[in-house]
Amino acid sequence: MAQQDKETRLTMAVNQYVSERRLASMRQAIGYGGNHAASIDTKRPKSWENYGFPNTLNFYDFLNLFQRNSLAKAGINRINRKTWQDNPWIIQGDTTDEKTTEKPWERDVRKLFKRLNVWQKFQDADRRRMVGAYSGLILRVADNARWEEELQPGGDLIEVIPAWEGQLTPSTWDEDIESPRYGQPTTWSYNEGNVQTADTPPPARSVTIHHSRVVIVGDYREGMSELEAAYNDFVSMVKITGGSGEGFLKNASRQLSVEYSDSQSLPELARSYGVSMDELNERLNDMMADLNSGIDAAAFTTGGKINPLVANVPQPKEHFEMQVQCIAASLEIPHKELIGNQQGDRASTEDAVNMNNRCQARRVGDVTTDIRRFIDRLMEYRIIPPVPGDEYEVMWSELNDASLADKLAMLKTATEAVKNMAGTGEIIATGDELRAIIGWEALTEPEVPADDLGDDNGEYDERMAAD
């Protein structure tokens, strides 16, 4: 039996190692050999090394890029802010229950999230997940237990703490092959304070946190930074901007050369300065230094010709634009949305629609999955009571929703259609249905099923008190 357990642990360790190495290999899409850098050019296996592209990337590469590169930061922030342009809301039941009055469970969730500013914390964690492969939300709960111990049901949620990938790493793993959480982290290591970079010392304290107190945003196994696919393009862009800036600086620094066509002029120049030929070179250097520093208004060369040393810097605009387009394509956002330059109503409208579609897909996809994981954890440990009916939905507004002017135009058309059909005795829409066209709430409250509110004896309130 002991031998079987040993073999099981060894198999799990090997599988974990193979999985991580496979993921790293997939990300780099290369074959490793000797000191060769990565490349997708089979004819030139060291091309990435020659171009200055890094072989492997980690979280701190992406964090440094986000903090120090304007386009990287703009791309992440634009997607993040558009995704969280407004906050979602949680409803009990399915999407057909959206227009019903607020139910007690919905009210309690809304008040808790508002009190702890949960949506702002989620937006922060979402931005950190886009920079790294994942991020985390740490639950501080008053449950009379230590952080390394499992959450105790019924505790009060005090705080939600967003954490970077670099702050939150798996510490121990579930090795029980019969466990439903086999192969998943049982504890996480959390470094308090700011995330460590090359320029900052490590945080003062590292704590171990039980997995029940950590909600992962993203995928800690196979997540990928939004900046990874365009990393080489960012490197190329830095070369273009840095090279053009260096060329401009060299031209602006007014480095000079003195050309003498007649060798007889040198002795005359030495006599004019009252120095020997051996000291002439030093005297000329002093003169040029004074001229460049603005001390002397003129230079006397006695037959010499002063020429500025000018570097021919190529126009960087076209090369820069090519890299920006590659970066925008990688982030899946319109080029003009990335750099904030919109010209022409048609172009700007189409770009806005595409940007909205990109972020709306994030809302109803990845972000909704993360929110449901968070709410399920709160219900699992009775931080909030289980939802009556065992069903809830995360609702978002539509980013490409019509403007108020467009809605009023649709309302006018619908009202005219209702008026025309009224003469035939056919009612095609009620007043509340017309109000829904422009997003106004119904004047009459729909009936709420008794199962959703509990019985007349206060079933929901009793569950709340029991929890």
Side-chain angles (χ1 to χ4, degrees):
M1 187 68 178
Q3 179 65 23
Q4 183 179 0
D5 292 342
K6 183 178 180 181
E7 292 178 355
T8 298
R9 290 194 297 270
L10 178 60
T11 300
M12 188 188 70
V14 171
N15 290 341
Q16 176 66 24
Y17 175 78
V18 171
S19 175
E20 292 178 355
R21 295 305 301 168
R22 178 182 60 83
L23 178 59
S25 298
M26 290 172 58
R27 287 181 176 179
Q28 302 306 324
I30 62 138
Y32 292 87
N35 294 321
H36 291 178
S39 174
I40 57 175
D41 186 348
T42 57
K43 186 177 180 180
R44 302 172 182 83
K46 298 182 65 175
S47 61
W48 280 18
E49 178 181 344
N50 297 331
Y51 302 153
F53 300 153
N55 184 1
T56 59
L57 298 169
N58 57 42
F59 164 74
Y60 295 102
D61 294 318
F62 302 127
L63 179 63
N64 183 59
L65 178 63
F66 173 72
Q67 293 177 334
R68 298 294 298 272
N69 186 278
S70 56
L71 277 184
K73 186 171 185 177
I76 294 296
N77 284 340
R78 285 185 185 278
I79 296 174
N80 178 259
R81 289 169 182 167
K82 175 58 70 173
T83 300
W84 293 90
Q85 178 173 292
D86 49 33
N87 293 331
W89 64 96
I90 312 301
I91 65 169
Q92 177 183 326
D94 56 26
T95 55
T96 60
D97 299 314
E98 179 185 1
K99 298 301 182 180
T100 61
T101 56
E102 187 179 55
K103 302 168 186 174
W105 184 85
E106 297 171 349
R107 179 196 63 225
D108 293 340
V109 172
R110 176 179 57 80
K111 288 184 176 180
L112 176 67
F113 280 32
K114 181 178 180 180
R115 176 169 59 86
L116 298 179
N117 203 15
V118 170
W119 296 132
Q120 180 63 41
K121 302 298 179 61
F122 244 108
Q123 180 179 0
D124 192 5
D126 184 41
R127 181 175 62 251
R128 299 182 188 207
R129 177 260 300 275
M130 296 173 68
V131 175
Y134 65 89
S135 65
L137 290 170
I138 300 174
L139 308 179
R140 281 193 59 210
V141 180
D143 60 349
N144 296 320
R146 300 172 61 87
W147 274 25
E148 64 269 22
E149 298 174 349
E150 184 176 5
L151 270 174
Q152 300 302 305
D156 293 329
L157 184 61
I158 298 175
E159 184 182 10
V160 179
I161 306 172
W164 291 94
E165 174 191 348
Q167 292 176 288
L168 192 65
T169 55
S171 180
T172 60
W173 305 81
D174 191 338
E175 300 180 3
D176 182 4
I177 197 171
E178 303 295 334
S179 170
R181 301 192 73 258
Y182 171 72
Q184 299 185 38
T186 54
T187 59
W188 293 80
S189 178
Y190 172 56
N191 292 322
E192 293 183 327
N194 292 329
V195 65
Q196 181 181 358
T197 64
D199 300 326
T200 60
R205 190 167 74 113
S206 178
V207 296
T208 299
I209 305 180
H210 191 270
H211 71 84
S212 61
R213 301 176 185 271
V214 177
V215 178
I216 294 300
V217 177
D219 188 340
Y220 73 92
R221 285 188 180 274
E222 299 187 6
M224 180 181 294
S225 169
E226 294 280 358
L227 302 174
E228 183 165 351
Y231 197 91
N232 291 356
D233 299 306
F234 282 112
V235 174
S236 298
M237 186 184 68
V238 169
K239 294 177 184 177
I240 295 171
T241 56
S244 61
E246 183 70 13
F248 179 84
L249 174 63
K250 288 184 179 297
N251 287 342
S253 63
R254 200 174 60 167
Q255 294 178 328
L256 305 174
S257 68
V258 182
E259 177 184 353
Y260 289 95
S261 59
D262 186 357
S263 61
Q264 297 298 322
S265 299
L266 293 178
E268 296 177 5
L269 185 62
R271 286 194 298 272
S272 68
Y273 281 114
V275 296
S276 65
M277 289 292 295
D278 295 336
E279 300 171 327
L280 178 61
N281 185 57
E282 182 178 353
R283 184 65 183 86
L284 289 176
N285 285 336
D286 292 340
M287 180 185 70
M288 291 297 104
D290 292 342
L291 182 63
N292 281 327
S293 64
I295 295 177
D296 290 344
F300 300 94
T301 60
T302 315
K305 182 180 179 181
I306 298 179
N307 298 312
L309 297 177
V310 179
N312 294 323
V313 181
Q315 174 57 254
K317 181 177 179 180
E318 294 182 359
H319 304 283
F320 180 82
E321 284 294 323
M322 180 180 67
Q323 301 304 326
V324 173
Q325 291 175 9
C326 291
I327 293 169
S330 172
L331 295 174
E332 302 179 43
I333 63 176
H335 167 260
K336 292 174 183 175
E337 289 285 341
L338 175 61
I339 60 177
N341 179 27
Q342 297 184 4
Q343 298 177 354
D345 179 68
R346 177 179 174 82
S348 64
T349 301
E350 291 180 353
D351 286 343
V353 170
N354 291 334
M355 182 71 173
N356 289 341
N357 289 338
R358 161 80 157 104
C359 296
Q360 188 71 28
R362 292 193 74 246
R363 281 181 161 191
V364 301
D366 294 341
V367 179
T368 292
T369 299
D370 297 325
I371 293 174
R372 293 188 67 91
R373 186 183 301 125
F374 181 83
I375 294 177
D376 289 347
R377 182 70 55 80
L378 298 185
M379 290 193 298
E380 178 183 358
Y381 288 93
R382 302 284 179 158
I383 296 174
I384 59 175
V387 57
D390 296 327
E391 188 174 8
Y392 69 91
E393 291 290 341
V394 180
M395 305 298 297
W396 296 89
S397 65
E398 175 57 55
L399 291 176
N400 276 323
D401 201 3
S403 65
L404 179 59
D406 293 335
K407 290 180 180 180
L408 290 174
M410 289 188 291
L411 176 63
K412 180 180 179 181
T413 302
T415 303
E416 292 175 352
V418 170
K419 184 186 300 184
N420 293 335
M421 292 298 296
T424 66
E426 184 75 19
I427 300 177
I428 62 174
T430 66
D432 286 341
E433 289 171 335
L434 293 176
R435 292 174 63 86
I437 294 177
I438 54 178
W440 291 352
E441 294 183 358
L443 293 176
T444 57
E445 296 184 358
E447 295 182 1
V448 180
D451 291 342
D452 290 338
L453 289 176
D455 56 24
D456 295 338
N457 294 325
E459 177 184 336
Y460 179 83
D461 293 334
E462 290 179 1
R463 278 204 305 270
M464 285 285 292
D467 291 333

